[in-house]
Amino acid sequence: MDFSSFLTSLGTSFLIFVVLMLLFAWLSSKPGNSVIYYPNRILKGLDQHEGGPRTRNPFAWIHEAMSSTEQDVISASGYDTAVYFVYLSTVLGILVLSGLVLLPVLLPVAATDDGVKTASTTSNGTFSDLDKLSMGNVKVKSSRLWAFMLATYWVSFVTYFLLWKAYKHVSGLRADALMSPEVRAEQFAILVRDIPPVPEGQTRKEQVDSYFKRIYPESFYRSMVVTDNKVVNKLWEDLQGYKKKLARAEAVYALSKKTGKPEGARPTNKIGFLGLIGKKVDSIEYYNEKINEVTPKLESEQKDTLREKQLDAALVFFSSRVAAASAAQSLHAQMRQVRQYVIYVVVALTILFFMIPIGFISALTTLQNLKKYLPFLKPIVDLDALKSVLEAYLPQLALIIFLALLPKLLHSLSKAEGIPSESHVVRAASGKYFYFIVLNVFIGLTVGGTLFSTFKSIQNKPDSLPDLLAAGLPLNATFFLTFVALRFFVGYGLELSRLVPLIIFHLKKKYLCKTEAEVKEAWFPGDLKYGTRFPGDMLIVTIVLCYSVIAPIIIPFGVVYFGLGWLILRNQALKVYVPAYESYGRMWPHMHTRILAALILYQITIKKFYRFFRDTALEVACRDLKENPNMEQVFRSYIPPSLSTDKIDDDQFEDALSQVSRSTSFV
């Protein structure tokens, strides 16, 4: 990529961002789009605009986001989102403080040397004008390299200091949340796993109850044995699906009475594959029959599940937060290591084999190689109007699209480990995704690109590999400059404008949605998706930190990425996204650790801080509540929807839980 291509990439990205921001200002003012741009506030029954009517300044959202407090974020999206903004602010502070020293010191030191020859080619993915601002322009064994070494210590010091301050702040946030007088069900329950085999003459529930009654005679409330719900979940999902289809068919029938004949036209559907083949039936009658057929099966399976499919795990409920916190910290439940090891092997193999296609992407998605391996594209690639744009965007777009295929796989693998909670699954998947993108994208593209571009030299002189890599690594910073720019301009432009969700919603509303429930399902935004958002941010952190000394010009790009991200996501957190769970900041130790991992020095400080986020401190749990907890409500909040039914009274449910397990226990 030459300098003109770089400017084309940067300018085009900025232009796209401006267009998307203007589209947001226009589209968000339309009444029919409110559910896309203000769903969080709508669900809370709040006014869509804090500042008044729709005729206000279209850019008032910027002031609203910047003036919002941490408590505003907590009220709108919870503590997890507030902690995420602590992460963004911390990284932004690290980059700003690092840049205040590195940019005025290292840029002149590098620019006044002449290590880069003016005749350097552009086939290695660099451009000579910006190479002069990097460490690659400093001669070998030059005394100027001392400045780059000392800069490394400055970046590390700034990172440690700001992470320490952030940890204290997040610790306080978590303590405030857990000391809240509000009654939260999760503070009165613990999960125990790997329960020993049931003694003869005793039920699983009796075993658990007797154990905890003996230790906590005054605060133990009751227990709920965990069951294998695969079959009952399937029946419950089928039943809910038939109910939705019935409601849709009835809505279609009612609409036909208004638009056609007074008696209306009863909807029909085919009962074969995907509704495309098979016998045609009356939809309302058919779905009523299916509901009547599945309901007794579900009720029977509920009872069988509670009696026959108990696992060696249980939820234990306490009437005191202190007792629950004490029990959670006193019992050390050993996880099934075999299952974890299998998943780790699968993830390791995934990382290993994804390096191969990503390495090829880094080499193939250059114009020279495209013309070589796909000669039929040469007439298109050689067009002057397209050449600069393709050269500027092609490798980055190919990489972004390639990475979009991975998150669901890693989420499924984390569930397969046997992790019990959704927040923990997200944290585990996030960790896998982080290591994947750092190893494959950062290391794979950097080293892979260098290896491909210098393969002939290595063939001729194999012992030159270390020297070639050392010389080539600084030159790859230019690829990441455009990658980061594409992420913050185009990525955050699409995030703010929400064009994709807007288009999908209106298409679904016009052609698919027939009931209010279907309309709400079409516009419901979901949460911030930390499992993929945070690893993506950490890739940028890793890139910017690791290249901050090699090529300090990348620091402003990182500052814009996290500054723009803070502003836009602040708006989205206040008005758009709805949290799916609340873990009170338990993601922070993982954020903290991975920032340190980007510096390859995280082991020094992580040991001191982790346990506070793993366990609830007793001094936090002992704070008074504003009301006595309704323990029956706490207990029933843990009953899976598929096992909850109005036809099973409490005594029957208790009897079902008390049966002796006759199945093999596993987690």
Side-chain angles (χ1 to χ4, degrees), residues 540-562:
I540 304 300
V541 173
T542 305
I543 291 169
V544 176
L545 283 180
C546 290
Y547 278 97
S548 61
V549 174
I550 294 174
I553 194 66
I554 203 172
I555 294 177
F557 287 77
V559 169
V560 175
Y561 177 89
F562 285 98

Side-chain angles (χ1 to χ4, degrees), residues 463-501:
D463 59 356
S464 67
L465 176 59
D467 293 335
L468 289 169
L469 289 177
L473 283 173
L475 303 180
N476 284 281
T478 55
F479 168 83
F480 289 115
L481 281 173
T482 53
F483 179 76
V484 174
L486 189 64
R487 286 288 295 269
F488 66 68
F489 276 143
V490 179
Y492 281 129
L494 288 172
E495 172 66 56
L496 179 66
S497 66
R498 287 180 59 78
L499 275 182
V500 175

Side-chain angles (χ1 to χ4, degrees), residues 540-656:
I540 304 300
V541 173
T542 305
I543 291 169
V544 176
L545 283 180
C546 290
Y547 278 97
S548 61
V549 174
I550 294 174
I553 194 66
I554 203 172
I555 294 177
F557 287 77
V559 169
V560 175
Y561 177 89
F562 285 98
L564 201 58
W566 186 95
L567 179 65
I568 289 175
L569 292 176
R570 197 84 164 184
N571 178 79
Q572 308 301 75
L574 293 170
K575 299 171 184 175
V576 179
Y577 293 115
V578 179
Y581 58 84
E582 180 64 85
S583 69
Y584 308 107
R586 289 192 66 175
M587 188 68 153
W588 177 255
H590 302 267
M591 296 176 173
H592 175 95
T593 304
R594 284 156 198 159
I595 294 175
L596 292 172
L599 291 171
I600 322 175
L601 293 169
Y602 71 93
Q603 297 92 339
I604 296 175
T605 56
I606 193 58
K607 294 176 184 180
K608 176 180 178 182
F609 300 116
Y610 184 77
R611 187 176 180 186
F612 180 83
F613 289 85
R614 183 188 63 195
D615 302 319
T616 302
L618 297 183
E619 65 174 348
V620 169
C622 71
R623 297 300 180 96
D624 293 334
L625 295 166
K626 69 179 183 181
E627 60 180 296
N628 292 327
N630 183 333
M631 291 308 301
E632 190 60 25
Q633 186 175 353
V634 169
F635 173 80
R636 289 192 171 276
S637 69
Y638 280 82
I639 299 175
S642 59
L643 292 176
S644 178
T645 174
D646 295 334
K647 294 187 178 182
I648 298 180
D649 58 31
D650 189 70
D651 291 339
Q652 290 174 310
F653 195 85
E654 182 75 20
D655 291 341

